[in-house]
Amino acid sequence: MLLTPSYIQAERATDKSITPHFGLLICQIINLLTRQPDPNLEHTAYRKYRESTPSIPVRLSMISIFFLIFASMTKYADVILPLPLEGLFTYSLAPGMEEQVKQGVRVQVPLGKSKSYTALAVRVHEEKPQFEVKEVIQVLDKKPVLLPQQYRLWQWISSYYLSPIGDVYKAALPSGLKAEDGFRPRTEAYITLVDNCCNEATLHHVFNSLSRAEKQQQVLNCFLRLSHWDSLQDDEPKEAIVEITKEELINESHCNVAVLKALIDRKILRVYYKEVGRLNDGEAAQPNQIKALNAAQLEAYNGILFEMLKKNVVLLHGVTSSGKTEIYIHLIQKALDDKQQVLYLLPEIALTVQIMTRLKRVFGNRLGIYHSKYSDAERVEIWQKQLSDNPYDVILGARSAVFLPFQRLGLVIIDEEHESSFKQQDPAPRYHARSAAIVLAGYYGAKTLLGTATPSMESYYNARTGKYGLVQLTTRYKDIALPEIEVVDVKDLRRRKIMKGMFSPQLLAAIREALAKGEQVILFQNRRGFAPMVECKVCGWVPKCTNCDVSLTLHKNMNQLTCHYCGYTYSVPTQCPNCESNELRGRGYGTEKVEDEIARLFPEARIARMDLDTTRTRNAYERLIGDFSSGKTNMLIGTQMVSKGLDFDKVSVVGILNADSMLNYPDFRAYEQAFMMMAQVSGRAGRKGKQGKVFLQTGQADLPVIRQVMANDYQAFYNDLLEERKAFSYPPFHHLVYVYVKHAKEQVADSASMELGYRLRQSFGSRVLGPDKPAVARVKTMHIRKIIIKLENGIDQQKVRQHLRYAQQQLLQDKRYATLQVFYDVDPQ
């Protein structure tokens, strides 16, 4: 019988990480190796023990067995690395780490010879891999940063959208959580007295020493007043001491940093730092600010609640300016009364500015904002707050907010659900936030509300066939009439030489009248820049990007040509490099050229432009929308950003300058997206007080879709498009998967795509179309080929993914394709 040394017994009692079995095995090995008598044992007992001890060879064998037992008890962690790699990676855990590592905790792990990464542990087990594993370097969290429902969502996105889970990790977590030293808490400098100056006598002495330093005396006086140290009596302050920031002291005393530094160098004042949050929590919630619903809104509200008793997803189809946001606010308040959290998704950051103001007024510090224009540190703090005991009850955000942790999610609202901006394009994962949010809500047992004036074909089909609940709101708030839409046939006007530029006479007259009355105008052109291309009028030379198969867009204000795919820039040439002609002219027009022309035609107008070039920062959105809302600007020129749910009181005229550019786009969704954009931007007119006027300029005035926009007849548009989609096997009757092949060499891209197409046809037959060149066949020097797979509804998606993965693996085994990239776009927009 082997006895446990007393120090092992004590260690076992204090350290729970050493299991009884583990401690016993340690003491057995110590006994076998040392054979030294334990002073706590009787000599006779030890003699019997020694006589029963095996010989040295036997003992060595036993030691080997014990070490094998130790090895078999080692625990392992499966982790996700923030790299575009398939599957999980396994690392061993050092003794003592077993209790620290659990699902959702970040760990630092080695990879390769010298690199290390912040990985996420998702499973701890005792299954020894059949390969050599490295050890986890350190555990970075005491509590998980990823909740189980979030991990389930990651797995679903990875599987459904055929994307490595490492890409999901990269997209989901803020950068500050993907590096062990990436997040720095925000600190602020505070000023206080040094310890030996905190009494009345010393302060009198200090002031005497500053008799020739008047500015330093002023600063010290200001500090004592602000902090209440001037209330000292008998070395005890009579008022509570207030902490003073360095910035506050400098501002209040009107001193410069040098004067303050002098007081610090004299050991009179000292600086200390405190961690402060970056989040502006604002005021307390004020539910009394919620407006009463009118009869139509109340009917829709009750209809939504009734439908949610039967369905997990409900579509609210409400015309523009019908007051959908007010219904959302009532639903949010009901969820909060039920102790639930709410996720409110919007397609564009621009929309959060106006809606944030409305929600802040009601929900105050219970509301959090989350989108890509926030700094990484702010996003980390929001993430950590959502994991805390006092999380935000309502999160308002764009696409990425779907990844935030929620502890008691009860309601998801997806506003403007039709918007293609909800679909992530590049980089991977190419997920749709609407679908991901519905799946996430299902994991929590929450309800989802989709809201829009122009539903997507898929959502409306799901509602009409009973998969989703459907509630309709057909009247505008305060019964304001829908805008009058006048179709302007620019083809006819140009033929008769009545119209030369980009503005029809009807539109110009309406703009002039609106400005004279103090009203506002929105002009919509869905292309940024000055001109889509520059062309030599003599030889036809067009400057193109060296990296991509596209012409360069002219940006006149920056005097440069820019590629909107890779960012390549090229100085505007003074003459044609091909024929040396000076006849270089821009063709077409973007928002920048529209702005120039309006400024020339209406010098009295106060113009703002809203496109990607003018809204690269969060403050830019707020400034542009704030200025237009307050009337500082009276004309807003923009791309699709101006079509998305913005609410302006004084807009009486909207101009859609070129509907044909949307209608003629080579994509099966072109008409759907054109109808939605035209209907949405038209809805910005006449929202309060009077009926607005919309001028829709097109060269295809006879198209049915144009007449349907004029009549605001979504049902007729839906019925026509549904028949077309059914005939040609498109959504909502089929699912689409685009398979892309990319390579630096065109010949390799061609041969690989042909071979992959052949392999896919072995599994999917005539469902496979292509390969073919996409509209832009070279981007960032990489040649691209595209294969389309049309999958009927009800097909086994899991088997589809298995066949796709197998075909890809077989292809990449060929050494010719070692550097080939294959990726997927599931349910493309």
Side-chain angles (χ1 to χ4, degrees):
M1 175 180 177
L2 294 179
L3 300 179
T4 307
S6 56
Y7 73 87
I8 292 291
Q9 292 176 331
E11 187 72 20
R12 183 189 301 162
T14 58
D15 187 357
K16 295 181 180 179
S17 66
I18 298 182
T19 64
H21 298 293
F22 186 72
L24 181 60
L25 287 170
I26 290 176
C27 74
Q28 287 174 328
I29 289 178
I30 292 172
N31 280 324
L32 286 169
L33 289 174
T34 60
R35 296 189 60 184
Q36 295 300 315
D38 189 324
N40 297 320
L41 301 178
E42 293 287 341
H43 180 68
T44 54
Y46 176 70
R47 186 171 59 252
K48 291 180 180 178
Y49 149 70
R50 185 173 178 180
E51 290 171 354
S52 65
T53 302
S55 63
I56 290 176
V58 174
R59 277 185 279 131
L60 290 175
S61 298
M62 291 177 65
I63 292 171
S64 299
I65 292 171
F66 290 144
F67 276 118
L68 286 173
I69 294 172
F70 290 160
S72 68
M73 291 180 62
T74 301
K75 288 196 174 182
Y76 302 90
D78 293 340
V79 306
I80 306 171
L81 288 170
L83 299 169
L85 302 171
E86 298 284 354
L88 305 176
F89 292 78
T90 302
Y91 289 84
S92 63
L93 299 175
M97 279 189 181
E98 300 95 332
E99 295 295 323
Q100 302 174 51
V101 179
K102 57 192 73 173
Q103 186 184 91
V105 166
R106 294 177 305 146
V107 292
Q108 185 184 0
V109 298
L111 187 69
K113 293 183 178 179
S114 58
K115 290 186 177 181
S116 69
Y117 291 91
T118 298
L120 264 169
V122 294
R123 179 172 173 254
V124 177
H125 57 89
E126 296 180 358
E127 302 164 13
K128 188 178 188 308
Q130 298 301 311
F131 49 85
E132 185 179 351
V133 295
K134 295 184 178 180
E135 195 172 84
V136 168
I137 298 171
Q138 63 173 325
V139 183
L140 301 175
D141 301 307
K142 293 182 179 179
K143 295 181 178 179
V145 298
L146 186 74
L147 300 180
Q149 293 91 336
Q150 289 175 281
Y151 180 49
R152 287 181 69 189
L153 180 67
W154 287 21
Q155 291 175 306
W156 178 82
I157 290 175
S158 174
S159 173
Y160 186 82
Y161 293 103
L162 295 160
S163 178
I165 199 163
D167 276 334
V168 183
Y169 173 19
K170 286 171 63 180
L173 251 65
S175 297
L177 292 177
K178 288 180 286 198
E180 57 273 14
D181 58 351
F183 173 67
R184 294 277 189 272
R186 181 182 174 188
T187 59
E188 191 161 8
Y190 283 76
I191 302 295
T192 189
L193 289 170
V194 296
D195 292 341
N196 60 0
C197 287
C198 296
N199 61 78
E200 199 170 359
T202 306
L203 283 176
H204 280 300
H205 176 72
V206 165
F207 271 101
N208 290 333
S209 69
L210 297 176
S211 58
R212 295 186 179 181
E214 184 178 348
K215 289 186 178 179
Q216 292 179 38
Q217 274 192 344
Q218 290 175 356
V219 173
L220 184 56
N221 261 322
C222 182
F223 168 77
L224 296 175
R225 174 174 54 81
L226 293 173
S227 63
H228 297 167
W229 276 108
D230 61 351
S231 66
L232 273 175
Q233 289 182 9
D234 299 329
D235 297 341
E236 287 294 328
K238 297 303 179 184
E239 297 181 49
I241 299 301
V242 176
E243 292 184 296
I244 305 300
T245 67
K246 180 180 178 181
E247 182 180 12
E248 182 183 5
L249 180 56
I250 290 173
N251 291 339
E252 289 291 326
S253 64
H254 306 292
C255 77
N256 56 37
V257 177
V259 177
L260 180 58
K261 185 176 182 300
L263 288 169
I264 295 169
D265 291 342
R266 284 174 176 263
K267 307 295 186 189
I268 298 169
L269 298 177
R270 68 178 178 86
V271 182
Y272 66 100
Y273 294 88
K274 283 182 64 176
E275 182 177 334
V276 294
R278 295 174 172 86
L279 308 181
N280 182 12
D281 288 332
E283 300 177 356
Q286 300 182 57
N288 60 308
Q289 294 287 330
I290 299 178
K291 298 177 183 178
L293 300 176
N294 63 24
Q297 290 172 324
L298 185 60
E299 184 180 353
Y301 172 79
N302 289 328
I304 291 167
L305 295 179
F306 178 73
E307 288 293 330
M308 283 182 172
L309 294 175
K310 304 178 293 180
K311 308 287 184 183
N312 290 325
V313 183
V314 177
L315 172 64
L316 174 60
H317 181 197
V319 297
T320 56
S321 196
S322 57
K324 293 187 291 294
T325 304
E326 208 59 50
I327 296 173
Y328 300 156
I329 290 173
H330 279 256
L331 290 168
I332 292 170
Q333 185 59 49
K334 184 181 185 305
L336 299 188
D337 292 341
D338 294 337
K339 310 299 182 187
Q340 297 173 334
Q341 288 177 295
V342 179
L343 171 61
Y344 188 146
L345 288 180
L346 290 164
E348 288 280 355
I349 296 166
L351 291 180
T352 64
V353 177
Q354 283 196 326
I355 300 223
M356 177 184 68
T357 304
R358 294 178 68 176
L359 297 185
K360 274 281 187 185
R361 192 182 304 126
V362 177
F363 302 110
N365 55 17
R366 301 181 77 174
L367 174 73
I369 316 294
Y370 191 86
H371 54 64
S372 60
K373 286 292 189 275
Y374 273 42
S375 70
D376 184 69
E378 286 174 306
R379 281 180 281 158
V380 170
E381 289 197 5
I382 292 172
W383 191 286
Q384 291 176 336
K385 182 174 175 63
Q386 291 306 97
L387 291 167
S388 72
D389 295 332
N390 184 33
Y392 287 120
D393 293 316
V394 185
I395 288 291
L396 174 67
R399 187 173 56 224
S400 58
V402 76
F403 290 116
L404 278 173
F406 291 91
Q407 301 179 44
R408 39 189 170 80
L409 185 64
L411 175 65
V412 174
I413 296 172
I414 305 174
D415 199 10
E416 309 294 346
E417 67 84 25
H418 64 277
E419 276 291 345
S420 59
S421 303
F422 278 124
K423 179 69 189 291
Q424 166 72 10
Q425 298 298 338
D426 285 309
R430 295 169 182 85
Y431 69 98
H432 200 299
R434 180 184 63 210
S435 301
I438 291 172
V439 170
L440 179 69
Y443 294 153
Y444 284 90
K447 302 295 183 180
T448 302
L449 178 66
L450 311 176
T452 178
T454 53
S456 65
M457 291 294 293
E458 289 88 339
S459 294
Y460 199 68
Y461 178 79
N462 286 335
R464 281 297 183 191
T465 55
K467 183 177 180 180
Y468 296 168
L470 175 62
V471 176
Q472 295 187 304
L473 186 58
T474 57
T475 58
R476 279 184 142 195
Y477 186 67
K478 294 185 178 180
D479 294 322
I480 297 169
L482 286 165
E484 177 191 351
I485 300 178
E486 179 179 333
V487 175
V488 180
D489 189 342
V490 295
K491 184 178 180 181
D492 179 61
L493 291 177
R494 290 194 173 108
R495 181 180 58 82
R496 294 190 288 150
K497 302 188 185 305
I498 295 174
M499 176 180 172
K500 292 183 179 179
M502 64 188 80
F503 309 111
S504 62
Q506 298 95 313
L507 177 57
L508 290 175
I511 293 172
R512 191 170 291 109
E513 183 181 354
L515 295 180
K517 291 180 178 179
E519 297 168 345
Q520 292 177 307
V521 177
I522 291 178
L523 298 180
F524 170 66
Q525 170 62 7
N526 202 30
R527 188 184 288 274
R528 63 189 173 103
F530 188 83
M533 61 187 292
V534 171
E535 183 181 46
C536 174
K537 293 189 71 174
V538 175
C539 71
W541 174 83
V542 174
K544 294 187 176 181
C545 178
T546 60
N547 305 316
C548 312
D549 284 344
V550 292
S551 58
L552 297 172
T553 300
L554 173 62
H555 289 259
K556 188 177 178 182
N557 289 348
M558 296 183 286
N559 193 37
Q560 67 182 20
L561 298 164
T562 303
C563 174
H564 287 173
Y565 283 83
C566 71
Y568 170 80
T569 58
Y570 180 73
S571 297
V572 179
T574 55
Q575 61 180 21
C576 174
N578 187 50
C579 70
E580 300 184 351
S581 165
N582 294 323
E583 296 292 316
L584 292 174
R585 298 288 185 270
R587 282 185 55 188
Y589 54 91
T591 50
E592 191 180 326
K593 188 173 183 178
V594 175
E595 182 183 23
D596 267 17
E597 280 294 298
I598 287 294
R600 184 181 65 82
L601 294 169
F602 300 97
E604 74 279 13
R606 303 182 301 277
I607 306 167
R609 175 161 55 93
M610 190 173 178
D611 56 26
L612 186 61
D613 297 322
T614 62
T615 56
R616 296 190 182 276
T617 66
R618 183 175 71 200
N619 293 337
Y621 281 104
E622 297 173 359
R623 177 180 53 79
L624 285 168
I625 293 171
D627 287 352
F628 197 65
S629 296
S630 65
K632 289 183 180 178
T633 54
N634 56 9
M635 288 196 69
L636 183 62
I637 298 163
T639 56
Q640 59 181 339
M641 291 180 184
V642 302
S643 72
K644 299 177 181 179
L646 297 173
D647 187 1
F648 302 115
D649 294 352
K650 296 182 180 180
V651 174
S652 61
V653 174
V654 167
I656 300 173
L657 301 184
N658 186 6
D660 300 340
S661 65
M662 298 179 280
L663 294 167
N664 297 335
Y665 194 75
D667 187 87
F668 79 95
R669 291 191 189 273
Y671 274 25
E672 180 183 7
Q673 292 176 348
F675 178 91
M676 290 171 176
M677 275 194 275
M678 288 188 284
Q680 289 283 344
V681 76
S682 298
R684 303 313 110 206
R687 296 178 67 82
K688 291 183 181 176
K690 59 173 285 188
Q691 184 182 28
K693 188 75 178 282
V694 178
F695 295 86
L696 196 163
Q697 298 185 166
T698 176
Q700 305 172 78
D702 294 333
L703 283 177
V705 67
I706 297 296
R707 294 196 300 270
Q708 289 155 358
V709 171
M710 281 183 64
N712 192 41
D713 192 349
Y714 176 83
Q715 191 63 49
F717 167 76
Y718 168 79
N719 291 336
D720 287 352
L721 196 57
L722 198 67
E723 289 300 316
E724 183 181 307
R725 295 279 184 89
K726 188 175 184 179
F728 294 99
S729 302
Y730 279 110
F733 301 99
H734 284 67
H735 286 280
L736 297 185
V737 178
Y738 290 171
V739 185
Y740 289 97
V741 171
K742 291 174 69 173
H743 198 274
K745 295 180 180 178
E746 187 171 12
Q747 289 181 341
V748 175
D750 283 332
S751 64
S753 61
M754 292 293 290
E755 187 170 336
L756 183 58
Y758 171 78
R759 291 181 182 277
L760 291 175
R761 283 188 181 86
Q762 304 305 305
S763 299
F764 301 106
S766 60
R767 300 181 183 91
V768 178
L769 303 176
D772 201 354
K773 290 184 177 182
V776 180
R778 187 172 63 102
V779 175
K780 298 181 181 178
T781 72
M782 300 294 284
H783 294 272
I784 306 170
R785 297 297 178 265
K786 174 181 173 183
I787 299 170
I788 299 176
I789 307 176
K790 295 182 177 181
L791 303 166
E792 58 270 25
N793 292 345
I795 198 167
D796 189 328
Q797 295 292 327
Q798 186 62 35
K799 288 186 177 179
V800 167
R801 288 187 282 274
Q802 289 174 357
H803 283 285
L804 288 171
R805 292 294 191 197
Y806 179 75
Q808 177 183 345
Q809 290 168 2
Q810 292 294 105
L811 179 72
L812 296 181
Q813 286 178 0
D814 191 324
K815 292 182 179 179
R816 293 176 299 165
Y817 306 137
T819 57
L820 188 76
Q821 297 179 33
V822 179
F823 62 94
Y824 306 89
D825 188 1
V826 179
D827 298 340
Q829 289 291 306

